[in-house]
Amino acid sequence: MTAAPFRIATYNLQKCVGLDLRRRPDRSLRVINALQADVVVLQEVDKRLAPRPAALPHDMVEEEGWHILPFGQPGGSLGWHGNAMLVRDGVQAIETAHIELPGLEPRGAIRADLDTPIGALRVIGLHLGLVRRYRLLQLGAINRALRQLPPMPTVFAGDFNEWGNGAALDAAVKLVRFLPAAASYPAPRPVAPLDRIALSPDLLALSSGVHRGRPAHIASDHLPVWADLAALPQKGRE
């Protein structure tokens, strides 16, 4: 029997401040819930100044049935360098870790090895720098970190800050392949595919897209991106 699709999504919350300049975590959570995802990778989930408290309150998230993976820091943050990950029931964290990233701006990535309905899955959540040179260095740092680990079906999801066609990203990352880019920024009239998802060859994207339903058009300057995944059969196994 074929397993049901497994949905992953990525969303830059812009600290829950919408294009109307109102901080509305309830509105941001409405968008997250509307994605109907099993795993949601978030960026800019915490406020900027130390101790970087969560812009999206823990209790509000948990009341909606989400489980917050343990990337937060002392002071009430939801994530690390603004990166966080939420999962639904049926998804269990095997291991979580931070990945330090180089660059002039403070940046980091998060890693979660998960037990999911489609099998073991490694999810890398990231928010890369504004300068391409540093973006490529940051991807190199992630590659090196992953080479130290046992192989596992892998997803990269996040705000890559890459305005072009993604050729530079493809050249920098050999482990995964990027799904066709779809414009997600700016939210009212998107022209740039800043938010992307990439998969290792043992994963299949059944479908993917950009979530445009209200209130996503105003809740952040980014639109969420999603993909429905299935695991490909391993070689030598039926």
Side-chain angles (χ1 to χ4, degrees), residues 66-226:
W66 291 102
H67 304 286
I68 304 167
L69 296 192
F71 295 109
Q73 302 293 288
S77 65
L78 199 70
W80 191 63
H81 285 285
N83 299 294
M85 206 175 298
L86 311 180
V87 301
R88 285 296 195 188
D89 288 343
V91 178
Q92 298 292 327
I94 302 168
E95 182 176 87
T96 59
H98 301 155
I99 303 174
E100 295 280 357
L101 299 183
L104 292 177
E105 312 159 74
R107 297 283 175 175
I110 55 176
R111 171 177 65 86
D113 292 354
L114 305 173
D115 181 17
T116 80
I118 62 169
L121 187 68
R122 176 170 291 147
V123 180
I124 307 299
L126 50 84
H127 187 184
L128 300 185
L130 298 174
V131 178
R132 175 174 286 180
R133 174 179 173 233
Y134 291 113
R135 289 197 293 274
L136 300 182
L137 289 173
Q138 289 158 4
L139 288 172
I142 295 171
N143 285 338
R144 289 191 296 275
L146 295 184
R147 282 199 293 267
Q148 306 303 313
L149 300 171
M152 184 181 295
T154 298
V155 178
F156 284 24
D159 179 355
F160 286 80
N161 263 321
E162 179 68 33
W163 285 72
N165 61 12
L169 299 178
D170 282 318
V173 184
K174 305 300 184 185
L175 177 67
V176 294
R177 63 190 187 281
F178 284 84
L179 299 184
S184 59
Y185 177 90
R189 293 185 178 180
V191 297
L194 302 190
D195 306 279
R196 301 176 189 242
I197 294 173
L199 310 178
S200 59
D202 39 15
L203 293 170
L204 173 68
L206 303 173
S207 58
S208 61
V210 177
H211 177 77
R212 302 177 186 273
R214 293 175 179 268
H217 71 297
I218 195 173
S220 169
D221 56 351
H222 290 248
L223 293 173
V225 172
W226 58 269

